[in-house]
Amino acid sequence: MIPAPPLAVIAALVAGGTMPLLLALCARLPLGRATTSRGFWLATTLSAGIWCVVTFVAVRESGAPYIRPVPADEIVAGALLLAVAMLVVYSFWSLACFGFTVSMLLMLRSETSVKDIGEWAGSFGFGGGMPALARDRVGVLLRAGLARTDGESLRLTTNYAFLFARFVVLISRVFAVADTE
Amino acid sequence: MNSTAFCILASAILVHVILVIVLLHSRLPIPPVGIHVSSAACSYAFMHLCLWLYECLATYWLCMAALAFAAMIFLFGYSAVYKSLSLRVLVRLSVNHTHMLDMTWVTERVMRRSFDERARMLAAAGMVECNPEGVRLTEKGAKMAVRLGAIREFFGARPDGLYFSAPIPREKS
């Protein structure tokens, strides 16, 4: 009932399956500052490269490589599946390495307990605590041009930022997400 | 892809979107990711059946990949609204009539509150115990921390970001 998968689809599954190994490998390369994010993009590029090679490159009996003609729908199916595999791997990778709740849990690895939740929160982010977390998260809005700082205050920038915020509220209601507003 | 297969794919995506929204509003005791995955499985079964009934199985892999991609993008969109602290701050800014917030307010009312919510979630999951003596990992939490630490080590994640918090140092006795 299920037709045999075309080569582009098999290649996407293989390339997606190598992503965790490539991520582990690339994280150990000397890539300078921002190693983690550069390592991620390098692993993604290598994975896409593996897919391209397996899908498009074939070898003649004489040993000479050539570009194999592949139907467009097979290319699209393979590319979409590769994108899905990358997004799945990205979700697990980012959650394990940078998840907020995961980081909170790992902070308590030492044998000694913290006094209370306040001390736990204060130790977050190498002792930066909640102010450091606030600066980090607000930084996303500043870089996106949605907000600007005004002394110790934060201010919406344009009507576009306001409309975007209202759109987020609308989507939150559609998804039944509480406590956004 | 012919028009029949396209209609089947579009219907399957629509079924997924509607099913997720209905299930999220029904407040079932299922985690949101479970709802997304179950709904994607149902819409996949619906699509597969229709492709077979209308003799469009030649487009199976294209339709399957497109449905998986749409479901994944939908899940990412949901996750952004569900968990993003940045978007929570943006919404608070838009609700405030001056469109302005004090950073201390953001720290205490958004960040600290989110930290407390997650702490309660970890306690409810039996990972952490909070009592008058302090906050510490339970046996279950310690095992999970070891596993997560091993995953971080496998991925070579380095302590160069805010979310890579070092373990709280032991007190000197």
Side-chain angles (χ1 to χ4, degrees), chain A residues 85-103:
Chain A
M86 284 173 173
L87 290 173
V88 170
V89 172
Y90 172 77
S91 304
F92 282 106
W93 173 78
S94 61
L95 200 64
C97 295
F98 311 105
F100 187 3
T101 316
V102 169
S103 294

mmCIF file of all heavy atoms in Angstrom, chain A residues 85-103:
data_model
loop_
_atom_site.group_PDB
_atom_site.id
_atom_site.type_symbol
_atom_site.label_atom_id
_atom_site.label_comp_id
_atom_site.label_asym_id
_atom_site.label_seq_id
_atom_site.Cartn_x
_atom_site.Cartn_y
_atom_site.Cartn_z
ATOM 1 N N ALA A 85 13.498 16.530 9.256
ATOM 2 C CA ALA A 85 14.508 15.849 10.090
ATOM 3 C C ALA A 85 15.378 16.880 10.812
ATOM 4 O O ALA A 85 15.665 16.747 12.003
ATOM 5 C CB ALA A 85 15.367 14.938 9.224
ATOM 6 N N MET A 86 15.767 17.943 10.091
ATOM 7 C CA MET A 86 16.603 18.988 10.707
ATOM 8 C C MET A 86 15.856 19.691 11.840
ATOM 9 O O MET A 86 16.432 19.976 12.894
ATOM 10 C CB MET A 86 17.016 20.011 9.656
ATOM 11 C CG MET A 86 18.120 19.521 8.744
ATOM 12 S SD MET A 86 18.400 20.707 7.427
ATOM 13 C CE MET A 86 19.842 19.993 6.656
ATOM 14 N N LEU A 87 14.577 19.973 11.620
ATOM 15 C CA LEU A 87 13.794 20.660 12.648
ATOM 16 C C LEU A 87 13.616 19.778 13.890
ATOM 17 O O LEU A 87 13.675 20.262 15.020
ATOM 18 C CB LEU A 87 12.413 21.069 12.097
ATOM 19 C CG LEU A 87 12.417 22.196 11.068
ATOM 20 C CD1 LEU A 87 11.033 22.387 10.468
ATOM 21 C CD2 LEU A 87 12.871 23.504 11.699
ATOM 22 N N VAL A 88 13.422 18.473 13.670
ATOM 23 C CA VAL A 88 13.277 17.541 14.803
ATOM 24 C C VAL A 88 14.589 17.493 15.597
ATOM 25 O O VAL A 88 14.589 17.628 16.825
ATOM 26 C CB VAL A 88 12.878 16.128 14.312
ATOM 27 C CG1 VAL A 88 12.965 15.116 15.451
ATOM 28 C CG2 VAL A 88 11.467 16.138 13.735
ATOM 29 N N VAL A 89 15.704 17.337 14.875
ATOM 30 C CA VAL A 89 17.007 17.272 15.550
ATOM 31 C C VAL A 89 17.280 18.590 16.273
ATOM 32 O O VAL A 89 17.738 18.604 17.424
ATOM 33 C CB VAL A 89 18.138 16.951 14.548
ATOM 34 C CG1 VAL A 89 19.507 17.067 15.205
ATOM 35 C CG2 VAL A 89 17.964 15.547 13.990
ATOM 36 N N TYR A 90 16.966 19.722 15.606
ATOM 37 C CA TYR A 90 17.179 21.033 16.227
ATOM 38 C C TYR A 90 16.399 21.147 17.538
ATOM 39 O O TYR A 90 16.918 21.650 18.546
ATOM 40 C CB TYR A 90 16.757 22.150 15.259
ATOM 41 C CG TYR A 90 16.771 23.507 15.894
ATOM 42 C CD1 TYR A 90 17.964 24.180 16.114
ATOM 43 C CD2 TYR A 90 15.584 24.113 16.316
ATOM 44 C CE1 TYR A 90 17.981 25.417 16.731
ATOM 45 C CE2 TYR A 90 15.598 25.346 16.931
ATOM 46 C CZ TYR A 90 16.789 25.996 17.135
ATOM 47 O OH TYR A 90 16.797 27.220 17.753
ATOM 48 N N SER A 91 15.145 20.653 17.537
ATOM 49 C CA SER A 91 14.315 20.740 18.745
ATOM 50 C C SER A 91 14.985 20.009 19.905
ATOM 51 O O SER A 91 15.116 20.566 21.001
ATOM 52 C CB SER A 91 12.938 20.122 18.512
ATOM 53 O OG SER A 91 12.325 20.727 17.434
ATOM 54 N N PHE A 92 15.398 18.769 19.675
ATOM 55 C CA PHE A 92 16.017 17.981 20.745
ATOM 56 C C PHE A 92 17.346 18.595 21.182
ATOM 57 O O PHE A 92 17.644 18.692 22.367
ATOM 58 C CB PHE A 92 16.217 16.525 20.300
ATOM 59 C CG PHE A 92 14.951 15.729 20.362
ATOM 60 C CD1 PHE A 92 14.274 15.384 19.206
ATOM 61 C CD2 PHE A 92 14.416 15.325 21.573
ATOM 62 C CE1 PHE A 92 13.091 14.662 19.256
ATOM 63 C CE2 PHE A 92 13.237 14.601 21.640
ATOM 64 C CZ PHE A 92 12.572 14.265 20.476
ATOM 65 N N TRP A 93 18.135 19.003 20.200
ATOM 66 C CA TRP A 93 19.464 19.560 20.472
ATOM 67 C C TRP A 93 19.355 20.838 21.298
ATOM 68 O O TRP A 93 20.022 20.988 22.324
ATOM 69 C CB TRP A 93 20.164 19.829 19.140
ATOM 70 C CG TRP A 93 21.464 20.560 19.236
ATOM 71 C CD1 TRP A 93 22.676 20.041 19.600
ATOM 72 C CD2 TRP A 93 21.686 21.942 18.929
ATOM 73 N NE1 TRP A 93 23.631 21.028 19.541
ATOM 74 C CE2 TRP A 93 23.056 22.197 19.132
ATOM 75 C CE3 TRP A 93 20.870 22.987 18.497
ATOM 76 C CZ2 TRP A 93 23.624 23.446 18.922
ATOM 77 C CZ3 TRP A 93 21.426 24.231 18.294
ATOM 78 C CH2 TRP A 93 22.787 24.451 18.503
ATOM 79 N N SER A 94 18.486 21.757 20.860
ATOM 80 C CA SER A 94 18.382 23.039 21.570
ATOM 81 C C SER A 94 17.768 22.843 22.949
ATOM 82 O O SER A 94 18.152 23.503 23.910
ATOM 83 C CB SER A 94 17.582 24.058 20.758
ATOM 84 O OG SER A 94 16.281 23.586 20.554
ATOM 85 N N LEU A 95 16.825 21.905 23.045
ATOM 86 C CA LEU A 95 16.192 21.649 24.345
ATOM 87 C C LEU A 95 17.215 21.075 25.332
ATOM 88 O O LEU A 95 17.295 21.504 26.488
ATOM 89 C CB LEU A 95 15.043 20.662 24.157
ATOM 90 C CG LEU A 95 13.995 20.626 25.252
ATOM 91 C CD1 LEU A 95 13.264 21.952 25.331
ATOM 92 C CD2 LEU A 95 13.007 19.502 25.006
ATOM 93 N N ALA A 96 18.007 20.121 24.861
ATOM 94 C CA ALA A 96 18.990 19.475 25.756
ATOM 95 C C ALA A 96 20.114 20.440 26.119
ATOM 96 O O ALA A 96 20.545 20.488 27.266
ATOM 97 C CB ALA A 96 19.558 18.228 25.093
ATOM 98 N N CYS A 97 20.580 21.217 25.148
ATOM 99 C CA CYS A 97 21.755 22.073 25.397
ATOM 100 C C CYS A 97 21.389 23.427 25.999
ATOM 101 O O CYS A 97 22.166 23.985 26.761
ATOM 102 C CB CYS A 97 22.527 22.293 24.105
ATOM 103 S SG CYS A 97 23.243 20.779 23.466
ATOM 104 N N PHE A 98 20.227 23.979 25.641
ATOM 105 C CA PHE A 98 19.909 25.350 26.055
ATOM 106 C C PHE A 98 18.524 25.507 26.672
ATOM 107 O O PHE A 98 18.051 26.621 26.832
ATOM 108 C CB PHE A 98 20.025 26.310 24.860
ATOM 109 C CG PHE A 98 21.301 26.153 24.114
ATOM 110 C CD1 PHE A 98 21.321 25.505 22.891
ATOM 111 C CD2 PHE A 98 22.485 26.602 24.651
ATOM 112 C CE1 PHE A 98 22.511 25.326 22.210
ATOM 113 C CE2 PHE A 98 23.671 26.428 23.975
ATOM 114 C CZ PHE A 98 23.691 25.784 22.752
ATOM 115 N N GLY A 99 17.861 24.384 26.965
ATOM 116 C CA GLY A 99 16.512 24.493 27.531
ATOM 117 C C GLY A 99 16.540 25.173 28.898
ATOM 118 O O GLY A 99 17.422 24.898 29.715
ATOM 119 N N PHE A 100 15.611 26.073 29.121
ATOM 120 C CA PHE A 100 15.522 26.819 30.371
ATOM 121 C C PHE A 100 15.309 25.848 31.540
ATOM 122 O O PHE A 100 16.077 25.843 32.520
ATOM 123 C CB PHE A 100 14.351 27.804 30.247
ATOM 124 C CG PHE A 100 14.180 28.783 31.379
ATOM 125 C CD1 PHE A 100 15.072 28.840 32.441
ATOM 126 C CD2 PHE A 100 13.109 29.663 31.377
ATOM 127 C CE1 PHE A 100 14.900 29.758 33.472
ATOM 128 C CE2 PHE A 100 12.924 30.574 32.403
ATOM 129 C CZ PHE A 100 13.815 30.613 33.448
ATOM 130 N N THR A 101 14.290 24.986 31.436
ATOM 131 C CA THR A 101 13.981 24.057 32.523
ATOM 132 C C THR A 101 15.115 23.045 32.723
ATOM 133 O O THR A 101 15.450 22.693 33.850
ATOM 134 C CB THR A 101 12.660 23.326 32.225
ATOM 135 O OG1 THR A 101 11.706 24.278 31.741
ATOM 136 C CG2 THR A 101 12.094 22.666 33.461
ATOM 137 N N VAL A 102 15.704 22.595 31.601
ATOM 138 C CA VAL A 102 16.824 21.646 31.686
ATOM 139 C C VAL A 102 17.986 22.289 32.433
ATOM 140 O O VAL A 102 18.605 21.677 33.311
ATOM 141 C CB VAL A 102 17.256 21.195 30.269
ATOM 142 C CG1 VAL A 102 18.571 20.430 30.319
ATOM 143 C CG2 VAL A 102 16.190 20.331 29.635
ATOM 144 N N SER A 103 18.270 23.556 32.123
ATOM 145 C CA SER A 103 19.365 24.266 32.805
ATOM 146 C C SER A 103 19.080 24.401 34.288
ATOM 147 O O SER A 103 19.990 24.263 35.116
ATOM 148 C CB SER A 103 19.555 25.663 32.201
ATOM 149 O OG SER A 103 20.001 25.548 30.882
#
